[in-house]
Amino acid sequence: MASLRDRLQEILIRDKHISSKDLERALEEQRKSGGELSKILVKLELIDEVALAQVLSEGLGLPPINIDRLKVDLEIIKIIPKETAIKYQIMPVSLMGDHLTLAMADPLNIFVIDNVKVLTGYTINPIIGLPKDIIRTIEKYYPETEKKEEDVKDPTDTFNEIIRDIQDTGELELIKDAQDEGNKAAVEELTDEAPIIKLTDTIIQQGVIAKASDIFIEPLEKTMRIRYRIDGIVREIDRMTKVLHFPIVSRIKVISNLDISEHRLPQDGRFKTIIAGEHSVDFRVSVLPTAFGEKVVLRILDQDAAFLNVDRLGFEEQALERLKECSIEPHGMILACGPTGSGKTTTLYSILKYVDSPEKNIVTVEDPVEFQMKGVSQVNIKPAMGLTFPVSLRSILRQDPDIIMIGEIRDKETLDIAVKAALTGHLVLSSLHTTTAAGSIIRMMNMGIEPFLICSSVLAIVAQRLLRRTCIFCKETYEATPTIIDKFNLKKAFPKGATTFELSRGKGCKRCFQTGYKGRVGITEIFIFSPKIRELILARAGEVKLKEAARIEGMQTMREDGIAKVVEGLTTLEEVSRITAPDEAMAE
């Protein structure tokens, strides 16, 4: 950026906007207080905003724009929250494919461009706008009713308001009396009353708003506990009187089409609801009898939140290209591995969407079907009725599919059918519960698959994890210490010749529940089957040797990918250390 800075300074002096003395004064102020030189020049009243915009336009080769005259699509406005637009003095203008055009008061601020790219998932094309024009346009387009952060209610406050209403109507006492008398029919009748419906709906809606992946409704000895899993971490949201537990569970059973009279056996179901009048969300329901009553877990399958786009999963560019090459092969197997909740299903669906076309016959077999895809035949297995993975797969293979997705390979029989399908002209996508990509090969051998079959059928294995993303609303930078630099080998991750090693972390704010993290980002290692790797598999080499050979051939491990995300400012070293194990030193 040094040459660009020199270019802007040259234009400022050449066009006599400021003198050399004024420039030195501004640079001295920048050295003392920090910040962007452009803002300092305006603050010291050495140049006005219009003239500065002209200088930036010439120096950066970016067009200036009068955004007052533009008519911006309201759907594009929704891409960036109002608070973010005000904080960074930016305004979304247009969207073409994956490219978002952004009017910026300071297009030199790479930090802002990177944050908005992370927030939206789009490539940012900056243009120059005057700060006053941007602020005026923000006020013009964003709804007046949009709540500020400090006005957003805590879920607990919302729950307490509804419970007070239930108490005021005397309904809480009616439920309690009916329970004390053991009159379940009366309790079930009260379940259909408006206050209980409202409380249950609010618990569900607040979970979606908080971007939780799971909602836990748990009976304790004397209370009922509500917890949400947000960004992979379970957080207690509220505790309520246990009197409300039975009617809430009954209400969930009703909307999930479960047996409301069964309290001794586990039950599974699902339902769909509309959030905020237009947002359709699927829920998977699990009811488990415990010592203190039935525990309910709702898995939120928010299809609007699932970016089923392989380009937006956060894969490293070279690894992504290798994966795309494998996915367009006419036959073979691609496996995703990792623990529950690591994003395997999203990755498989994203690959499926990438290869989907009207000319291909695509069938999936899952337990259960998590995302509906148009034009794809999806089978929901039902073990109780004898419809298992192997039975489904045998029938699917008679329907001449081009691509088969198996939700999960759990046993030797399913793996055996999947391998044979990959060998007989089908592209097979599936998942395995293993911790590393190389470990999946050992797991398949232990399940009884011969090495030569693995070499002939498997194209690639993707191992992945989800890390909590640094909250962009309270993000701050700090200088890494020499100890940290050495421990995580940061010199390798930063650009060659870097002399400063700035990292970021979240201070904690209301938006991120004071954690410093909001949202998640994926890290991966993509294991490609090269001739050398196949030789090692045939020789039954161990996991360590397979991983080392893959790294020599260019595979980036999950730890290395995580540190790259840290350098990009997407997450923290603490989060990478929590989720990934250190890599073994490679042989010289």
Side-chain angles (χ1 to χ4, degrees):
M1 291 295 291
S3 59
L4 176 57
R5 193 184 304 114
D6 292 343
R7 170 70 177 149
L8 293 173
Q9 292 174 11
E10 178 188 323
I11 296 170
L12 284 167
I13 294 172
R14 182 199 69 195
D15 294 346
K16 298 182 180 178
H17 292 294
I18 61 173
S19 65
S20 299
K21 188 176 180 181
D22 288 336
L23 177 60
E24 188 54 44
R25 177 186 163 199
L27 290 169
E28 180 61 31
E29 178 66 25
Q30 186 185 37
R31 283 190 286 270
K32 287 179 182 177
S33 58
E36 292 88 10
L37 181 61
S38 56
K39 289 184 179 178
I40 292 170
L41 290 168
V42 174
K43 180 183 175 183
L44 296 176
E45 298 182 352
L46 298 175
I47 189 172
D48 62 44
E49 291 178 346
V50 176
L52 180 60
Q54 292 172 348
V55 172
L56 288 171
S57 176
E58 182 181 346
L60 297 171
L62 295 175
I65 191 168
N66 184 349
I67 58 174
D68 273 346
R69 297 181 181 178
L70 291 179
K71 186 174 182 181
V72 183
D73 188 336
L74 293 179
E75 289 302 312
I76 293 171
I77 295 295
K78 293 177 184 178
I79 293 172
I80 295 177
K82 183 176 181 179
E83 294 89 343
T84 307
I86 293 172
K87 179 180 178 180
Y88 293 144
Q89 289 192 323
I90 57 177
M91 181 70 188
V93 173
S94 68
L95 180 65
M96 295 289 289
D98 285 340
H99 290 260
L100 177 66
T101 299
L102 204 64
M104 302 181 64
D106 183 12
L108 283 170
N109 197 327
I110 302 300
F111 177 77
V112 170
I113 292 174
D114 287 345
N115 273 352
V116 175
K117 183 178 179 181
V118 168
L119 177 69
T120 64
Y122 293 116
T123 299
I124 304 303
N125 295 332
I127 56 175
I128 299 167
L130 295 178
K132 60 183 181 182
D133 290 347
I134 290 175
I135 294 298
R136 190 162 55 242
T137 311
I138 289 171
E139 295 303 323
K140 172 184 173 184
Y141 277 99
Y142 283 91
E144 290 297 324
T145 55
E146 188 167 323
K147 293 183 179 180
K148 295 180 181 178
E149 178 185 345
E150 58 268 22
D151 295 332
V152 176
K153 280 188 177 181
D154 188 285
T156 306
D157 297 335
T158 308
F159 299 152
N160 289 339
E161 281 181 18
I162 299 171
I163 292 169
R164 279 196 296 272
D165 290 342
I166 295 174
Q167 288 173 328
D168 292 343
T169 60
E171 198 154 328
L172 195 62
E173 289 301 316
L174 292 174
I175 294 170
K176 189 175 186 302
D177 291 342
Q179 286 185 5
D180 290 343
E181 294 168 7
N183 190 344
K184 290 185 179 178
V187 176
E188 289 169 7
E189 188 177 333
L190 289 165
T191 296
D192 291 330
E193 297 297 322
I196 293 297
I197 292 174
K198 184 179 180 183
L199 179 58
T200 307
D201 288 351
T202 302
I203 291 170
I204 292 168
Q205 289 169 6
Q206 290 293 329
V208 176
I209 291 168
K211 299 193 183 302
S213 59
D214 301 272
I215 299 172
F216 300 86
I217 300 170
E218 302 165 301
L220 304 179
E221 188 174 5
K222 296 180 180 179
T223 60
M224 176 183 71
R225 180 170 64 179
I226 306 295
R227 296 194 294 170
Y228 295 159
R229 185 183 295 278
I230 302 172
D231 298 336
I233 305 295
V234 178
R235 297 192 180 92
E236 183 170 321
I237 303 300
D238 197 10
R239 291 199 181 201
M240 302 177 184
T241 172
K242 196 169 180 180
V243 174
L244 293 167
H245 173 256
F246 186 82
I248 287 175
V249 172
S250 297
R251 174 62 189 164
I252 291 172
K253 285 183 178 180
V254 167
I255 61 179
S256 307
N257 292 318
L258 299 179
D259 185 351
I260 196 170
S261 63
E262 178 58 71
H263 308 290
R264 296 168 300 175
L265 296 174
Q267 295 189 71
D268 294 312
R270 63 190 302 155
F271 66 92
K272 181 181 287 189
T273 189
I274 304 296
I275 305 294
E278 58 180 20
H279 188 179
S280 178
V281 182
D282 283 339
F283 293 83
R284 202 166 74 208
V285 182
S286 174
V287 182
L288 179 70
T290 68
F292 296 118
E294 291 176 291
K295 175 179 176 178
V296 177
V297 179
L298 308 178
R299 166 61 61 90
I300 301 175
L301 305 172
D302 188 349
Q303 298 201 35
D304 285 354
F307 298 113
L308 301 181
N309 184 332
V310 74
D311 291 311
R312 296 175 65 182
L313 292 176
F315 288 2
E316 183 261 329
E317 190 174 344
Q318 185 180 355
L320 177 60
E321 287 305 313
R322 295 167 79 186
L323 182 61
K324 282 182 175 180
E325 288 171 9
C326 292
S327 66
I328 59 176
E329 291 286 337
H331 58 84
M333 192 187 316
I334 298 175
L335 294 172
C337 64
T340 301
S342 61
K344 299 188 299 296
T345 303
T346 300
T347 296
L348 291 175
Y349 268 103
S350 297
I351 296 171
L352 208 59
K353 190 174 179 182
Y354 176 73
V355 298
D356 184 23
S357 72
E359 298 80 28
K360 291 179 179 174
N361 179 16
I362 302 176
V363 186
T364 77
V365 52
E366 304 167 71
D367 181 23
V369 171
E370 294 203 9
F371 301 109
Q372 271 92 36
M373 282 188 72
K374 291 181 181 178
V376 174
S377 303
Q378 296 176 277
V379 178
N380 205 344
I381 72 160
K382 297 173 183 175
M385 298 173 61
L387 186 62
T388 60
F389 277 113
V391 170
S392 301
L393 285 169
R394 289 191 189 99
S395 295
I396 287 167
L397 288 171
R398 295 189 199 107
Q399 300 222 335
D400 191 27
D402 297 298
I403 301 170
I404 304 169
M405 191 187 95
I406 306 167
E408 182 187 344
I409 293 175
R410 300 174 180 172
D411 52 58
K412 180 184 176 181
E413 191 177 2
T414 305
L415 179 59
D416 187 55
I417 296 171
V419 168
K420 287 175 180 174
L423 290 171
T424 54
H426 307 87
L427 180 66
V428 179
L429 310 177
S430 191
S431 67
L432 269 177
H433 279 290
T434 53
T435 55
T436 64
S440 297
I441 297 166
I442 308 303
R443 172 77 186 278
M444 285 189 281
M445 289 182 188
N446 291 339
M447 290 172 78
I449 302 299
E450 291 295 329
F452 75 90
L453 290 175
I454 296 173
C455 290
S456 302
S457 61
V458 182
L459 298 169
I461 302 174
V462 181
Q464 63 187 85
R465 299 288 187 280
L466 292 175
L467 303 180
R468 289 181 294 170
R469 192 190 292 268
T470 306
C471 175
I472 68 168
F473 297 99
C474 60
K475 193 176 190 178
E476 64 176 5
T477 57
Y478 68 98
E479 188 80 22
T481 63
T483 304
I484 293 294
I485 292 168
D486 291 339
K487 180 180 178 181
F488 292 94
N489 198 13
L490 292 181
K491 287 182 179 177
K492 181 182 176 183
F494 274 86
K496 198 171 183 179
T499 54
T500 58
F501 299 89
E502 280 196 349
L503 306 176
S504 64
R505 60 191 170 202
K507 292 185 290 186
C509 64
K510 195 169 184 178
R511 285 189 174 273
C512 62
F513 296 92
Q514 305 300 327
T515 62
Y517 299 98
K518 186 173 176 62
R520 290 198 283 180
V521 60
I523 56 170
T524 58
E525 58 185 37
I526 301 181
F527 192 98
I528 304 294
F529 280 55
S530 66
K532 175 64 177 175
I533 296 294
R534 287 188 169 92
E535 281 180 23
L536 290 171
I537 294 171
L538 290 170
R540 294 183 178 269
E543 181 179 342
V544 174
K545 286 189 176 180
L546 288 169
K547 183 176 179 180
E548 184 175 2
R551 290 179 71 189
I552 290 171
E553 293 188 353
M555 182 186 82
Q556 187 177 45
T557 66
M558 283 186 286
R559 170 58 72 99
E560 290 168 339
D561 192 17
I563 290 174
K565 297 287 194 298
V566 170
V567 172
E568 290 178 46
L570 302 181
T571 188
T572 65
L573 286 173
E574 291 79 7
E575 186 67 0
V576 172
S577 298
R578 183 178 74 87
I579 296 295
T580 65
D583 295 319
E584 299 86 357
M586 291 178 64
E588 295 296 333

